[in-house]
Amino acid sequence: MNLFDVYSLFDVVPVRAQGCRVWDDKGQEYLDLYGGHAVISVGHTHPVYVAALKEQLDRIGFYSNSVRNPLQEQLARRIGEVSGYGDYSLFLDNSGAESNENALKLASFHTGKDRVVAFHRSFHGRTSGAVAVTDNPRIVSAFNAVHRVTFCDLDDLAGVEKELAKGDVAAVIIEGIQGCGGIHVPGIAFMQGLRELCTRCGVVLVLDEVQSGYGRTGRFFAHQWTGIRPDIITMGKGIANGFPCGGILISPMFTAVKGMLGTTFGGNYLACAGALAVLDIIKQEGLMANALAVGDYIKEALPVTPRIREVRGKGLMLGIEFDESVAPLRQSLLYDKHIFTGVAGQNMIRLLAPLCLTKAEADRFLTAFKEVLG
Ligand code: PLP
């Protein structure tokens, strides 16, 4: 049987990884500035993380739902402490798309409405197939039609206001920083206006922090740079350093009703053990501060050249935008310099390195980047 051929893959087979480094089956070492699409938060195979997973696997394995799971309760308390959202509740699931799906479902239950407002270039997931709130023409799914998603321009508050005034919108969903759509950072005044608008119109504000969250920008969530508090925050990717895990933080204005949300695997013991280890490591190693410092360092040290149109992002969520396709540069970084990077669209190199990236590793990238730029 063949694999269903939906991914463009590089011909590299990783067999070992540690920190920000990966080795392939031929023994070649690589610097990983992409973290498997932002899922490696505390570094590959961190010993504290590996020990936590092994211990849990030996003890009880994957046991999941229908009985009390003290690790879920611990995780809720710990996320509450580190994020400043201790008065919110936690619901655990398995992925970013599922988190957004649950958030929109809750918003719909709460308001009795079904229209969703999202933003051009946004991406809120496609894994489950049920939720594909994005206007990326390669991905747009039936979900958008079924749930009547309307797309506004980022930072256009008047455009959003026009939609909310129609009175049929359940939720506005927005990324803390747009990731797949090209690292666009919403303005502070816009975010504050959006918060005020949603409150005034009785619309649920959902902050998708799947890619921009968990310390990547130097704050626990990227929206915390804007001073607002959303009604629901969605999480995924780095929450358990690559072990499938997602979740949503739900404001006290929502009342839980039995059976309202559900999952088979969400919040299983292994996922929780991984997520708790991630929080321990972030705290012990000061990884939020590191992400911000090393991200700023890269931004400032990037070469100034007319080929680079703009550098956007915060912390270790950075996009380097060119006027040309970045495919040759990225190939050269991978095959000549042995550095993994990501892309957003055709013209942007996207960096989503593990939060433990050191300045020395950043220097290795900067030197290589200048060389491939010529
Ligand atoms: N939301 C954002 C902002 C994302 O970047 C992604 C994935 O890239 C998702 C949601 C979907 O996450 P997942 O692929 O884990 O379902």
Side-chain angles (χ1 to χ4, degrees):
M1 185 188 288
N2 290 322
L3 295 174
F4 197 53
D5 193 12
V6 291
Y7 294 117
S8 306
L9 299 176
F10 287 115
D11 190 18
V12 174
V13 183
V15 292
R16 190 160 71 85
Q18 189 181 43
C20 295
R21 292 179 303 156
V22 172
W23 287 263
D24 72 9
D25 54 352
K26 299 178 188 72
Q28 177 63 56
E29 183 222 326
Y30 297 80
L31 177 64
D32 182 7
L33 298 186
Y34 198 54
H37 206 61
V39 300
I40 304 301
S41 45
V42 298
H44 293 279
T45 65
H46 191 292
V48 171
Y49 171 80
V50 172
L53 282 187
K54 276 189 179 154
E55 200 226 292
Q56 205 55 53
L57 194 54
D58 281 347
R59 190 135 39 113
I60 190 164
F62 276 92
Y63 204 84
S64 197
N65 283 308
S66 77
V67 286
R68 256 186 73 195
N69 173 348
L71 293 191
Q72 287 196 7
E73 293 161 16
Q74 264 183 54
L75 186 57
R77 189 167 38 77
R78 293 284 305 284
I79 294 178
E81 282 164 11
V82 69
S83 68
Y85 283 100
D87 54 333
Y88 282 43
S89 311
L90 172 69
F91 179 80
L92 288 163
D93 49 49
N94 308 285
S95 71
E98 229 183 288
S99 297
N100 287 327
E101 191 173 64
N102 284 321
L104 296 180
K105 216 192 273 182
L106 268 187
S108 197
F109 288 150
H110 186 76
T111 58
K113 298 171 183 171
D114 69 346
R115 193 154 69 97
V116 173
V117 167
F119 294 90
H120 291 300
R121 297 179 306 227
S122 62
F123 180 74
H124 299 288
R126 60 181 152 188
T127 315
S128 70
V131 64
V133 179
T134 175
D135 62 350
N136 181 332
R138 287 193 306 127
I139 302 168
V140 171
S141 82
F143 179 92
N144 288 1
V146 173
H147 290 257
R148 300 197 300 131
V149 184
T150 304
F151 291 92
C152 291
D153 288 331
L154 199 65
D155 288 343
D156 175 16
L157 202 56
V160 180
E161 189 164 16
K162 208 171 112 204
E163 293 304 328
L164 300 203
K166 295 177 187 165
D168 61 345
V169 174
V172 172
I173 183 166
I174 183 166
E175 287 160 85
I177 294 178
Q178 284 191 336
C180 304
I183 312 291
H184 294 279
V185 186
I188 293 177
F190 172 72
M191 290 295 268
Q192 292 177 348
L194 191 61
R195 171 65 283 181
E196 193 274 321
L197 189 58
C198 286
T199 305
R200 182 153 44 88
C201 298
V203 170
V204 174
L205 179 58
V206 179
L207 238 303
D208 179 343
E209 294 278 3
V210 168
Q211 193 171 137
S212 55
Y214 252 70
R216 179 159 293 284
T217 67
R219 295 272 171 95
F220 196 69
F221 294 121
H223 73 260
Q224 290 177 312
W225 290 100
T226 72
I228 67 156
R229 282 168 81 81
D231 303 313
I232 303 178
I233 302 161
T234 65
M235 309 177 294
K237 293 201 187 286
I239 183 168
N241 207 40
F243 193 95
C245 184
I248 60 178
L249 302 189
I250 306 160
S251 113
M253 79 183 197
F254 294 89
T255 308
V257 175
K258 302 286 182 205
M260 192 182 212
L261 302 176
T263 166
T264 297
F265 294 119
N268 69 71
Y269 275 78
L270 273 177
C272 288
L276 283 164
V278 163
L279 292 179
D280 284 341
I281 298 163
I282 287 179
K283 187 172 173 191
Q284 278 158 17
E285 301 187 0
L287 293 187
M288 290 206 270
N290 185 69
L292 184 59
V294 178
D296 282 350
Y297 178 73
I298 293 175
K299 246 178 161 176
E300 274 162 35
L302 278 169
V304 178
T305 147
R307 286 175 71 190
I308 297 179
R309 188 194 293 169
E310 199 178 8
V311 179
R312 293 193 292 270
K314 204 157 187 65
L316 288 174
M317 183 166 183
L318 293 176
I320 309 167
E321 190 171 55
F322 287 73
D323 283 320
E324 69 211 43
S325 163
V326 294
L329 280 177
R330 200 162 161 242
Q331 293 257 348
S332 193
L333 280 168
L334 181 64
Y335 292 118
D336 303 336
K337 305 296 179 186
H338 305 117
I339 298 178
F340 287 121
T341 57
V343 281
Q346 303 291 315
N347 295 0
M348 175 172 277
I349 290 193
R350 184 163 43 136
L351 305 180
L352 299 166
L355 311 187
C356 57
L357 188 76
T358 63
K359 281 195 176 159
E361 287 165 333
D363 281 335
R364 175 173 160 192
F365 162 70
L366 289 162
T367 305
F369 190 58
K370 284 172 196 161
E371 285 171 8
V372 298
L373 275 176

